[in-house]
């Protein structure tokens, strides 16, 4: 369930005019921007952006970039983007780092539906004049590359059917890979990155039933290629229970346990209109504190106000 | 340019009724089927199939399967299908063979546009409840798998932009791969399977200018893994000049130089409404005989009549 409280009747022209007023003149009235944007859904935001472009011949996001700064600017811009455009931008940014941020890439490739991720790939091509897969391939090496190219390339089947026999036989293959510590085996990449999510969940259950342990535990042994192992586990976690994975990312971000600075706003912005409510519940169950309280403790100013508004606080 | 001579004004209801008449009763009037279907374009065929289903509660293709046989049945059924449905079926069939027919898979992945191939992947999921990539991955092994998974997964950028510096640097990488005979190197797969076709053509030209030989010649050295090398060359040929590649497939098929029995009808049916005219010209330039004459020599009966009609012979 969404945490977004979207306005029932909003006028995109009025919104555009009010945003213009808030941006022009001395300083920027951030409170006005929050009061409008944090209460508009995808379709409404799209219309506001079109109206703004029509009225002022300027792209709303460019406007924000020139007026705002820091985490607030970033959050407002990302939120104003279309989800596919935003996911493409997240991946592009992750690839631009000196060491590409594989976790962000896997998170987006594996927690979106096949159609959502395909839309992100289309948008990536439109924005960057390259395909996402070629940039992933040219900016990574070795086992990582093999994993990331397949995980971002495959257009997974999204249906509900799965095959229990296949789940058993592939649980067995995965077990052999783990037993032999052959973690860069092509089989593990093939199974994790091309099978449908329903099929994989069935394989993970079969694995637990057959071997009395979870596959992520099996992949937690000491191994020289630790980061790659962590990437495999990330794929599994994102597929097995994307909400739990995202709740964990939020916890890590709010407790300075990950270096990646944008995780907090990425997850909140990506899920506010989808299932942030359920993620919030999982967060509370695990940490005994609500996401809102953690955000309020950790952040401040306009950035805090904006995130809290997206979390459903008026 | 198309070789198809499509009827200017056809009625899908009348077509469906005439097909029904030709199929029912004693025997089947194949000439009627040819006279209708070989002169309908994609949109017209779609409407006829819908009208047939509406009128007789039967799928037209199932009807043909029960009435016809052999190469003619196959050709009529494939031609009646939507192009995406047909490509998905070709790949599914290629994967079902004891040794998957990698050339068919590469031909379809690399001679279609990105959007056409994506449509085939969607149709594959719809028809077989699996994603194409997972079936490719589970039915192939080793270097072949690596190549085929990436070639079928990547959603290549289809735009016209290319980067000459990149072309030079990647021509150099490919040359090193060839020099070191490291043909299963990930770099060659990455470059051939994820870069846009325009970028690759620029890389192939750079390669020839820099090293005085074509890259396919460089990949023609003796090597224990011959089939895999041939697969790499097939990818290159399909991207460099798809029409010339398809003209060659037709030549091989018409001269019993390939084991794969369905190549002739696959290429004619896939291209009749696109560029079979140009393919025909290339065929003539190379072989000094028109495609029509070769088809007339090699085939016979209804199958011949149907293919010749698709080739523009009334």
């Amino acid at each position: 369930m969404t945490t977004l409280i979207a306005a029932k009747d909003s006028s995109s022209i009025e919104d555009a005019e009010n945003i213009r007023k808030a941006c022009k003149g001395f300083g920027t009235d951030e409170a006005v921007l929050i009061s409008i944007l944090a209460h508009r859904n995808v379709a409404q935001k799209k219309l506001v952006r079109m109206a703004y472009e029509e009225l002022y011949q300027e792209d709303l996001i460019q406007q924000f970039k020139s007026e705002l700064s820091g985490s607030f600017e970033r959050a407002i811009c990302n939120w104003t983007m279309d989800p596919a455009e935003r996911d493409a931008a997240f991946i592009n940014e992750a690839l631009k780092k000196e060491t590409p941020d594989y976790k962000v890439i896997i998170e987006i490739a594996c927690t979106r539906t096949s159609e959502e991720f395909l839309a992100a790939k289309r948008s990536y091509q439109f924005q960057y004049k390259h395909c996402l897969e070629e940039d992933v391939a040219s900016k990574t090496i070795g086992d990582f590359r093999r994993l990331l190219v397949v995980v971002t390339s495959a257009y997974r089947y999204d249906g509900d059917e799965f095959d229990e026999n296949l789940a058993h036989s592939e649980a067995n293959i995965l077990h052999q890979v783990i037993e032999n510590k052959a973690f860069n085996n092509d089989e593990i990449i093939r199974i994790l990155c091309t099978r449908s999510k329903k099929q994989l969940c069935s394989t993970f259950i079969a694995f637990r039933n057959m071997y009395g342990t979870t596959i992520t535990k099996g992949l937690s042994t000491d191994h020289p290629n630790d980061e790659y192992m962590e990437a495999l586990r990330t794929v599994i976690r994102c597929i097995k229970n994307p909400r739990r994975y995202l709740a964990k990312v939020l916890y890590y971000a709010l407790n300075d346990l990950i270096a990646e600075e944008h995780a907090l706003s990425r997850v909140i912005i990506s899920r506010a209109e989808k299932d942030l409510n359920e993620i919030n519940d999982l967060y509370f169950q695990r940490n005994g504190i609500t996401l809102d309280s953690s955000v309020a403790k950790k952040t401040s100013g306009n950035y805090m106000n904006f995130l809290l508004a997206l979390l459903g606080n008026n």
Side-chain angles (χ1 to χ4, degrees), chain A:
Chain A
M1 242 176 67
T2 174
T3 54
L4 181 76
I5 305 171
K8 288 247 157 48
D9 42 2
S10 69
S11 145
S12 54
I13 305 278
E14 273 174 37
D15 283 350
E17 287 169 348
N18 290 330
I19 290 172
R20 185 73 171 186
K21 262 182 247 159
C23 287
K24 290 289 147 185
F26 296 110
T28 305
D29 192 338
E30 288 90 354
V32 169
L33 298 185
I34 296 172
S35 72
I36 298 172
L37 289 165
H39 302 287
R40 298 292 179 273
N41 62 26
V42 173
Q44 290 169 327
K45 283 181 286 177
K46 197 168 196 159
L47 291 173
V48 174
R49 198 169 162 191
M50 284 163 64
Y52 197 92
E53 175 107 42
E54 183 77 14
L55 288 170
Y56 310 110
Q57 281 79 53
E58 241 181 297
D59 179 43
L60 191 51
I61 288 168
Q62 293 311 317
Q63 174 75 71
F64 290 149
K65 282 191 176 158
S66 70
E67 292 295 320
L68 310 172
S69 65
S71 302
F72 180 62
E73 172 210 322
R74 190 185 153 83
I76 285 276
C77 288
N78 282 336
W79 174 249
T80 305
M81 288 179 188
D82 184 72
E85 178 187 7
R86 180 165 68 214
D87 281 345
F90 286 147
I91 290 188
N92 185 256
E93 215 174 39
L95 284 171
K96 272 197 203 140
K97 295 192 176 173
E98 213 181 302
T99 310
D101 194 331
Y102 70 89
K103 285 204 174 184
V104 173
I105 300 170
I106 293 173
E107 176 186 308
I108 291 172
C110 298
T111 64
R112 285 18 175 188
T113 66
S114 289
E115 289 305 318
E116 285 168 350
F117 189 55
L118 180 65
K121 293 208 269 188
R122 274 188 210 277
S123 178
Y124 193 98
Q125 293 200 7
F126 179 76
Q127 291 181 68
Y128 309 109
K129 308 295 173 203
H130 271 188
C131 82
L132 192 156
E133 299 92 314
E134 73 184 293
D135 285 353
V136 167
S138 69
K139 283 168 185 166
T140 53
I141 52 166
D143 294 338
F144 258 106
R145 175 195 288 171
R146 236 175 260 171
L147 174 68
L148 291 177
V149 168
V150 185
V151 92
T152 53
S153 298
Y155 175 45
R156 287 184 206 262
Y157 178 58
D158 236 350
D160 281 334
E161 300 85 354
F162 62 90
D163 177 339
E164 279 200 47
N165 292 331
L166 186 69
H168 275 84
S169 74
E170 296 198 336
N172 182 254
I173 294 174
L174 293 173
H175 188 248
Q176 280 170 14
V177 166
I178 291 171
E179 286 284 287
N180 300 332
K181 296 188 187 291
F183 304 113
N184 61 352
N185 186 299
D186 278 352
E187 284 291 85
I188 193 166
I189 294 179
R190 169 183 73 79
I191 295 172
L192 293 182
C193 301
T194 70
R195 291 296 184 199
S196 78
K197 292 176 185 175
K198 275 275 154 60
Q199 180 66 46
L200 280 171
C201 288
S202 163
T203 301
F204 300 153
I205 292 169
F207 189 96
R208 207 184 45 211
N209 293 341
M210 288 159 77
Y211 307 107
T213 180
T214 65
I215 176 160
T216 35
K217 285 223 181 81
L219 289 169
S220 298
T221 49
D222 285 333
H223 189 268
N225 198 348
D226 266 352
E227 284 283 291
Y228 168 72
M229 301 286 285
E230 176 63 16
L232 288 176
R233 291 193 296 269
T234 304
V235 172
I236 295 167
R237 289 188 186 116
C238 286
I239 288 173
K240 210 169 168 183
N241 195 334
R243 286 170 186 162
R244 193 161 67 200
Y245 177 78
L246 294 172
K248 211 166 174 180
V249 171
L250 288 172
Y251 177 79
Y252 283 175
L254 286 162
N255 290 279
D256 297 322
L257 295 168
I258 40 174
E260 198 245 311
E261 51 183 336
H262 305 306
L264 174 65
S265 70
R266 183 181 66 250
V267 175
I268 290 182
I269 286 169
S270 300
R271 311 306 285 204
E273 211 181 323
K274 299 186 90 160
D275 54 3
L276 194 52
N277 226 341
E278 288 81 356
I279 293 173
N280 203 343
D281 288 347
L282 290 167
Y283 185 92
F284 181 75
Q285 277 165 33
R286 196 183 165 93
N287 310 309
I289 178 172
T290 66
L291 196 46
D292 308 44
S293 312
S294 295
V295 168
K297 266 192 200 166
K298 180 74 189 172
T299 61
S300 60
N302 297 313
Y303 181 52
M304 176 187 79
N305 293 336
F306 181 55
L307 294 184
L308 289 178
L310 293 181
L311 277 159
N313 295 268
N314 261 325

